[in-house]
Amino acid sequence: KYFKPFFLTPEIVIKPSWEFYKKKSDEKIVTLDPGMAFGTGQHDTTRFCAELICELKNQNPELKSLIDVGCGSGILSIIAAKMGFKNVIGIDNDSVAIETAEKNLKRNLLDLQFELQTQTYFPKPLTTFILRDPKTRKISKSDFRDRVVHQAVFRVLYHIFDRSFIFDSYSCRFGKGTHRAVYRLEAF
């Protein structure tokens, strides 16, 4: 009754699972049902941590991993994933919290599924940044949600198109890749 959609950070909206919220293009929506677990996003420490996660990722786009110790409802883990952290681990010693976090992760994936089914899904613009390690490179990356869609499409289409590729095509193929391509090249 009292838990309504709200902005946790300027780019993150927390939406209770039972409430409707019309997403605007630049917002990241976290659908949440805290149940009996800690973490609705209304506590100052959660807000601070969410702002810190967003700031860290925006200032250091090359960061890949985040561990959420005492994950509660999973709110910070979900925010980290939506901000583009590739490897996110949520840990808690409360079995109710673990179950709640798993359900909230599933809810956020179901939101994406609904957008795909209703044809309301639109990919976000690529995020571009400069990486200097050891040479300077311009990197463009897709939003987390878009990468989930890419993987889903890849898994469906891979088996259809793989049969039509020549043997010595190595990019994005199971059992192949850069190292195998180099070994094959050395064989010539």
Side-chain angles (χ1 to χ4, degrees):
K1 180 178 174 181
Y2 299 106
F3 187 35
K4 301 285 185 190
F6 68 96
F7 278 91
L8 182 62
T9 73
E11 55 193 315
I12 303 286
V13 175
I14 304 300
K15 180 191 86 65
S17 60
W18 58 88
E19 289 283 334
F20 175 77
Y21 180 82
K22 184 157 174 60
K23 179 181 180 259
K24 290 150 190 87
S25 65
D26 57 343
E27 296 172 343
K28 291 177 174 48
I29 308 296
V30 174
T31 302
L32 193 69
D33 184 349
M36 297 300 292
F38 178 79
T40 61
Q42 296 173 325
H43 196 275
D44 288 338
T45 56
T46 307
R47 181 178 302 274
F48 171 76
C49 290
E51 288 172 352
L52 183 61
I53 289 169
C54 294
E55 184 179 322
L56 277 170
K57 191 61 178 170
N58 288 333
Q59 291 178 1
N60 305 284
E62 72 280 1
L63 291 177
K64 295 178 185 166
S65 302
L66 183 127
I67 299 176
D68 180 6
V69 178
C71 66
S73 67
I75 185 172
L76 295 175
S77 296
I78 295 167
I79 288 170
K82 289 190 178 245
M83 287 302 299
F85 282 89
K86 188 174 182 179
N87 304 308
V88 179
I89 298 173
I91 301 169
D92 208 302
N93 62 0
D94 179 359
S95 60
V96 173
I98 293 168
E99 185 178 323
T100 302
E102 287 175 349
K103 286 179 182 175
N104 284 324
L105 176 60
K106 185 175 181 180
R107 268 187 198 92
N108 283 277
L109 289 173
L110 289 174
D111 286 348
L112 176 58
Q113 181 183 25
F114 177 77
E115 287 181 35
L116 290 166
Q117 289 172 339
T118 59
Q119 299 181 3
T120 57
Y121 165 79
F122 290 98
K124 295 194 179 215
L126 296 175
T127 302
T128 302
F129 58 95
I130 304 297
L131 183 64
R132 294 177 176 85
D133 182 27
K135 64 181 183 175
T136 301
R137 292 177 286 173
K138 182 178 179 180
I139 307 290
S140 295
K141 71 172 189 81
S142 298
D143 187 73
F144 173 76
R145 294 165 38 94
D146 298 332
R147 291 194 312 265
V148 170
V149 172
H150 297 165
Q151 285 299 314
V153 169
F154 172 79
R155 289 174 188 269
V156 170
L157 296 181
Y158 177 81
H159 302 287
I160 296 168
F161 287 103
D162 187 59
R163 289 175 261 158
S164 66
F165 294 150
I166 64 169
F167 177 80
D168 286 320
S169 174
Y170 286 85
S171 180
C172 299
R173 294 185 68 196
F174 296 126
K176 299 239 176 167
T178 305
H179 289 97
R180 295 239 174 147
V182 169
Y183 296 145
R184 178 76 170 149
L185 181 63
E186 289 174 345
F188 286 112

